[in-house]
Amino acid sequence: MYDKAIRTLEFDKIKEQLLNYTSSAIGRERAAQLQPSGDLEEVAKWQEETDEAAKVFRLRGNIPLGGIFDIRPHAKRAQIGGMLSPQELMEIASTIRAGRVLSRFFEEMTEDGHELPFILEYINNLIPLHDLQQTISYAIGEHGEVLDSASENLRMLRNQLRTNEARVREKLESMIRSSNAQKMLSDAIITIRNDRFVIPVKQEYRSNYGGIIHDQSSSGQTLFIEPQVIVQLNNVLQETRVKEQQEIQRILIELSAVVGEHTHELLQNVKVLAHIDFLYAKARYAKAIKGSKPALNNEGRVKLYKARHPLIDEKEVVPNDIYLGEEFSTIVITGPNTGGKTVTLKTIGLCTLMAQAGLHIPALDGSETAVFQSVFADIGDEQSIEQSLSTFSSHMVNIVEILKNFESNSLVLFDELGAGTDPQEGAALAISILDEVYNRGARVIATTHYPELKAYGYDREGVINASVEFDVESLRPTYKLLIGVPGRSNAFEISKRLGLNDWVIEHARGHVGTDTNKVENMIASLEDSRRQAEKDREEAEDYLKQAEKLHKDLQQQIVEYYAQKDSMIEKAAEKAAELVDKAKEEAEQIISDLRRLRFEKNAEVKEHELIEAKRRLEESAPFIGRAKKQKPQLQKQAHAFTQGDEVKVISFDQKGHLIEKISDTEWQVQIGIMKMKVKESDLEYIKAAKQKETKPLTNIKGKDYHVSLELDLRGERFENALSRVEKYIDDALLAGYPRVSIIHGKGTGALRQGVQEYLKNHRSVKRIRFGEAGEGGTGVTVVEFK
């Protein structure tokens, strides 16, 4: 189903790249078996597994995959009674240990709160085999050697070997240290020949040592002799070595038998470890190609955002957006050679095969691809000299095979459809083939040179033209796919840029039909419009990014402002508390001093002493707030404040209006959009409120009628709130206010939206905006009147 497409689209090269990210031979073998699937559920599971592995790679980097070997041949040979070598037993123990380390790694991740259901399903199938690993490790070392601890008999035999070797060496060393040794020996060393200790003796002194000659030098001047005095010692040593090998063989046979009993478990562990290595290779490969997990569907819908050909260098490849399967099911790409049409075909074909094989695709997040039952591709010149087939014939053989086998849920890719024969017949044949595939419901992308196929995209619903952009200025293709814009001939423009005379070009234009010129002009206009639209879109995106950044910065500043405000209020409260505590202490001290004076002087307290105590008591009162500009008390008393008076709040140095008297000493004052309670002593009179003119037989409110500068709608029902807004706007207009504020709160936004919709349609409203950070933000709408 996919074999031909795999070869044509070079999916095998994707697998070769994937193999480089495996960590073991069994993982490499598993990756080499990678094939796409047409089952949506299976592909979805594969993608989830890859995504989980990518998550692990992102969180923890590399995972412990060292020490894994392909132990399947060892286990199978042990199962039929074969004896394993120490190296093979060591590989089995190492693989078991690697499985246990891997299990602990993923258990720790789950304990940290990371959910890995698919990977844990495989890890839970690993069988620990801890006893088998310990049994092997007790007998076999990390480098594949049989340890003394393998058995008591082996330990005893090796002790005997070491003792006998020491005796032989001691005897030979005494011989090479003798007075005649320097004359009779070629070199004063002990060496080994045929597993027996010997010394190098000069040819002429061979009879002085007797014994057995085991070897001679290349010149024949030196003989390697086992002296007669150590022959017996060497015999004993050799016998001990034979016993050692027999004991080692017995140990290996025994261990092999134990391994054979666990063959099934070992093979299962190998399968799991191979799959984990394979999953992690897919995750590492996805990172390397900057791949993403695509959404999947079985409806033939493809949406690839900034898709790249994975086999082209990232610095050179041009990303493209490719859409198929919603508004149109067929794309016809026209344009000149070397423009990138074939690369586009291979990009969508490879991305489809990669997704259906469980690999992440080289496209942006949010991309989507269909799971096709089959993928067919006729791409490239496959002319066969042996079969005497022309380019056209070679293509037709492939096309005939495709038309026999494709189904409605198939992706079909045609490169240079109808090429290699008479242009008129080739174009007609291309249209007929496209009709056949289109009518049977498959998704198809075709590239062609024929101008007749430009009209094909306009004449049929569900078919769209596309082209690959060509820059006439630089005479180079940009490799950018333009869906909806057919390719146009650039021969005249290119010829002009290269210096061909204008009269020759104009003469050539005269040979081109009027309809063709109209089509080419239309295509040129479409390209200009598309470039301008793309430029405008990029500018809009830049503005949007700037606005989002500014909005984010403002939000951060608001947060910092309120945090700083709260901190300052808290510090002020702490300072006030300290001042109050200090005042209390002073008061207590003053009272204590008065009592002491009364008792000490029998209540005969002089007047000046009381005055001094009173002064100290007054001075102990805390002073909070900024310095006030004190006015003569007589000026304050000269005017009785009334509602509506314009006043100045001394401590804030701000003007406002008196709204109402709260108590004998406090007024509610309107300062801008803020209402606050202020002590009468902190108020400075500016001027009286304007008196309302009373007009008989009317209740019309004029500019002198007092209307609040803000309307609070919080807690109101929607209908009541709009009624209050309408009345309030009329009152504010009559009062002559240039600007007012409506407090609607944030909440769900329904009240805010309703209020703003009403204000936008009001004939007297000039502009509305949300409040600034100090005005209530999005919970307040500020209204400016015309």
Side-chain angles (χ1 to χ4, degrees), residues 220-354:
Q221 296 301 311
T222 301
L223 301 177
F224 294 93
I225 296 176
E226 179 184 0
Q228 186 63 42
V229 295
I230 66 162
V231 169
Q232 184 58 33
L233 291 175
N234 265 337
N235 288 341
V236 173
L237 187 60
Q238 194 65 24
E239 289 176 5
T240 307
R241 284 176 178 159
V242 171
K243 292 179 181 179
E244 179 198 24
Q245 291 304 314
Q246 290 174 346
E247 180 62 15
I248 289 174
Q249 185 174 7
R250 184 193 67 79
I251 292 168
L252 295 179
I253 291 174
E254 186 177 296
L255 291 175
S256 300
V258 177
V259 170
E261 295 173 0
H262 296 86
T263 298
H264 176 73
E265 294 92 328
L266 290 171
L267 295 179
Q268 178 173 320
N269 284 2
V270 168
K271 186 177 180 180
V272 171
L273 293 173
H275 195 75
I276 295 296
D277 190 2
F278 166 61
L279 290 184
Y280 209 65
K282 290 200 293 182
R284 295 171 63 195
Y285 181 60
K287 175 71 173 178
I289 64 171
K290 297 181 180 178
S292 65
K293 174 191 170 188
L296 302 172
N297 67 81
N298 58 359
E299 301 165 2
R301 188 171 59 255
V302 176
K303 294 180 183 178
L304 301 179
Y305 301 112
K306 302 299 180 186
R308 309 178 304 278
H309 193 294
L311 299 178
I312 300 178
D313 191 313
E314 184 184 354
K315 297 178 181 177
E316 300 177 2
V317 68
V318 177
N320 275 306
D321 294 338
I322 305 173
Y323 308 93
L324 182 67
E326 283 191 333
E327 298 178 4
F328 47 86
S329 61
T330 300
I331 301 177
V332 179
I333 307 176
T334 53
N337 281 331
T338 69
K341 299 191 303 296
T342 302
V343 170
T344 301
L345 281 185
K346 287 190 173 182
T347 298
I348 188 172
L350 267 179
C351 285
T352 298
L353 292 179
M354 290 174 68

Side-chain angles (χ1 to χ4, degrees), residues 497-725:
R497 293 280 300 170
L498 293 175
L500 188 64
N501 290 331
D502 290 344
W503 69 270
V504 176
I505 294 174
E506 291 304 319
H507 185 65
R509 291 185 190 276
H511 291 290
V512 178
T514 305
D515 291 340
T516 303
N517 279 327
K518 287 182 178 178
V519 171
E520 293 298 327
N521 292 334
M522 178 192 69
I523 294 171
S525 176
L526 282 173
E527 288 186 353
D528 291 341
S529 299
R530 197 257 332 147
R531 288 194 187 96
Q532 185 60 41
E534 188 169 299
K535 181 181 178 182
D536 293 342
R537 180 181 61 80
E538 290 176 353
E539 289 179 355
E541 287 180 350
D542 290 340
Y543 285 132
L544 178 61
K545 289 178 181 177
Q546 292 175 11
E548 288 176 346
K549 184 178 184 301
L550 179 60
H551 178 66
K552 185 177 181 181
D553 291 343
L554 288 174
Q555 284 185 324
Q556 181 64 28
Q557 290 176 14
I558 290 171
V559 171
E560 291 175 356
Y561 164 75
Y562 280 111
Q564 186 177 7
K565 175 185 174 184
D566 293 341
S567 176
M568 293 178 68
I569 291 174
E570 185 177 348
K571 289 180 179 178
E574 291 176 356
K575 183 66 175 177
E578 291 177 2
L579 291 172
V580 169
D581 290 341
K582 184 178 180 182
K584 288 180 178 179
E585 291 178 1
E586 290 285 337
E588 291 292 336
Q589 184 62 43
I590 291 170
I591 293 171
S592 177
D593 290 345
L594 287 174
R595 287 173 178 168
R596 180 176 54 79
L597 287 171
R598 187 181 64 185
F599 286 115
E600 287 179 356
K601 300 189 178 183
N602 297 319
E604 294 178 1
V605 180
K606 301 293 185 183
E607 184 66 23
H608 73 276
E609 293 174 338
L610 290 174
I611 293 172
E612 176 63 21
K614 184 178 180 182
R615 184 188 64 78
R616 289 174 58 195
L617 184 60
E618 289 176 350
E619 288 178 353
S620 68
F623 177 77
I624 302 175
R626 53 198 254 177
K628 302 176 184 178
K629 296 180 181 178
Q630 298 293 338
K631 295 286 183 180
Q633 189 67 21
L634 289 175
Q635 288 185 9
K636 284 191 176 183
Q637 298 295 334
H639 176 77
F641 292 108
T642 60
Q643 185 175 349
D645 285 354
E646 184 175 349
V647 296
K648 179 179 181 181
V649 181
I650 299 172
S651 59
F652 289 100
D653 195 21
Q654 295 290 328
K655 294 181 180 180
H657 291 84
L658 297 180
I659 297 176
E660 60 177 338
K661 193 167 187 178
I662 300 173
S663 66
D664 293 338
T665 59
E666 284 186 328
W667 282 85
Q668 187 176 40
V669 182
Q670 178 90 37
I671 303 177
I673 65 168
M674 295 187 300
K675 293 179 182 178
M676 60 189 305
K677 294 178 182 180
V678 181
K679 290 186 178 299
E680 190 171 291
S681 59
D682 195 21
L683 297 176
E684 179 181 336
Y685 172 77
I686 296 178
K687 62 182 178 179
K690 293 182 179 179
Q691 298 297 321
K692 295 183 288 184
E693 295 180 7
T694 57
K695 297 181 181 180
L697 303 177
T698 180
N699 58 353
I700 297 176
K701 301 165 185 174
K703 290 185 178 181
D704 293 337
Y705 175 73
H706 176 70
V707 180
S708 173
L709 288 172
E710 65 180 16
L711 174 64
D712 192 346
L713 299 176
R714 288 175 293 182
E716 289 280 351
R717 296 177 62 86
F718 186 78
E719 294 80 9
N720 295 339
L722 290 184
S723 176
R724 288 189 62 193
V725 170

Side-chain angles (χ1 to χ4, degrees), residues 435-481:
D435 277 340
E436 173 67 14
V437 180
Y438 171 76
N439 291 332
R440 286 166 62 179
R443 303 295 184 262
V444 58
I445 303 179
T447 67
T448 181
H449 282 300
Y450 296 133
E452 290 84 352
L453 267 74
K454 296 176 185 177
Y456 180 84
Y458 291 108
D459 294 342
R460 288 163 177 78
E461 184 180 355
V463 181
I464 195 168
N465 284 315
S467 60
V468 180
E469 189 178 52
F470 188 89
D471 188 353
V472 180
E473 296 297 324
S474 64
L475 302 182
R476 291 178 178 274
T478 66
Y479 304 105
K480 198 166 188 179
L481 181 67

